[in-house]
Amino acid sequence: MNTMNTQFLIDKTMNYKNKFLLLIISVIAFSCQKDDDMEPFDYEYFSVDITGDVSGNIVYDESKYVGTEGETLLTDDFDTYLMVTATEFERTMTLNFYPPDDNPRAGDVLSVTIKAPEVKPWTQSNEYITAYINQLQQYDSYAIVSYWNDVEERDYVSYYRFENTSNSVLIETDGDMLTGEVTNMTLATFNGSHQITIRDFTFRMRPGDEGWTME
């Protein structure tokens, strides 16, 4: 009888140990799977489709270059292809997006200039109308989208087209990141003779790289 009770206790203890071990293994497996499925939201990124005088797709994904020093075609630090130009005491900022060196449009620059309702515009989520050049003074806040064609030395700007007053730039904050979106917008040269269309432009960037805090 004592032998049976002892064996029962041993079996019961082993059963609990096995269940506990399986639980630990399950937790570890779930954690690994969750880490693998997570998108690296702290990486900088932008993607844009362009048609017109300039055509093609431009994508910069910082996650593809981190940890590959000496093995990439980048000529600058991987965190300098998206930059925020601003000051602490003004309501304007300019976001610059540089195609990676292995893109056919390397040398071009896509820019978004924001005039926000308050200072430190990189800390504010807002939707900014893209005003016409003759109406900029009528708006307390607005956005200007521009594209520099390095080969032709030609500048395309949103405020040269009145139709863009029905478009906007969406800017949002997400922790330490600044994100934005432009769905469809045509930019033109000063005399309107040359145009490009920006489609599906999305970006995610870190203002902290330039020393701007999100507080």
Side-chain angles (χ1 to χ4, degrees), residues 51-115:
T51 58
D53 281 1
V54 176
S55 61
N57 174 249
I58 301 174
V59 176
Y60 177 79
D61 186 348
E62 185 186 43
S63 66
K64 295 181 179 180
Y65 301 105
V66 174
T68 59
E69 287 81 357
E71 302 175 11
T72 74
L73 298 176
L74 300 184
T75 56
D76 294 311
D77 293 338
F78 52 74
D79 58 352
T80 61
Y81 287 80
L82 293 84
M83 299 191 70
V84 181
T85 302
T87 69
E88 291 276 354
F89 309 106
E90 294 185 2
R91 295 193 292 143
T92 59
M93 69 175 177
T94 298
L95 314 178
N96 290 320
F97 306 87
Y98 303 92
D101 301 87
D102 55 354
N103 188 282
R105 302 309 309 181
D108 294 1
V109 185
L110 177 59
S111 300
V112 178
T113 297
I114 297 292
K115 183 177 181 181

Side-chain angles (χ1 to χ4, degrees), residues 98-211:
Y98 303 92
D101 301 87
D102 55 354
N103 188 282
R105 302 309 309 181
D108 294 1
V109 185
L110 177 59
S111 300
V112 178
T113 297
I114 297 292
K115 183 177 181 181
E118 301 176 1
V119 297
K120 299 183 178 181
W122 61 89
T123 65
Q124 303 167 45
S125 296
N126 208 341
E127 186 170 5
Y128 298 94
I129 187 173
T130 45
Y132 185 56
I133 188 170
N134 293 336
Q135 299 177 336
L136 292 177
Q137 301 300 322
Q138 299 179 21
Y139 294 94
D140 184 58
S141 60
Y142 55 79
I144 300 171
V145 181
S146 61
Y147 186 93
W148 170 252
N149 182 340
D150 188 59
V151 174
E152 301 293 337
E153 296 186 348
R154 187 175 291 150
D155 206 14
Y156 306 85
V157 189
S158 60
Y159 61 40
Y160 289 139
R161 287 180 58 88
F162 179 79
E163 294 85 349
N164 284 331
T165 55
S166 61
N167 295 327
S168 62
V169 175
L170 180 63
I171 300 289
E172 294 183 313
T173 59
D174 183 11
D176 293 332
M177 306 299 289
L178 188 69
T179 68
E181 178 182 352
V182 178
T183 55
N184 188 33
M185 186 177 299
T186 299
L187 317 181
T189 55
F190 174 73
N191 60 10
S193 59
H194 296 277
Q195 299 179 1
I196 64 171
T197 299
I198 301 294
R199 304 181 190 278
D200 301 322
F201 174 33
T202 59
F203 62 86
R204 184 171 66 245
M205 60 198 309
R206 290 186 306 269
D209 287 357
E210 283 75 61

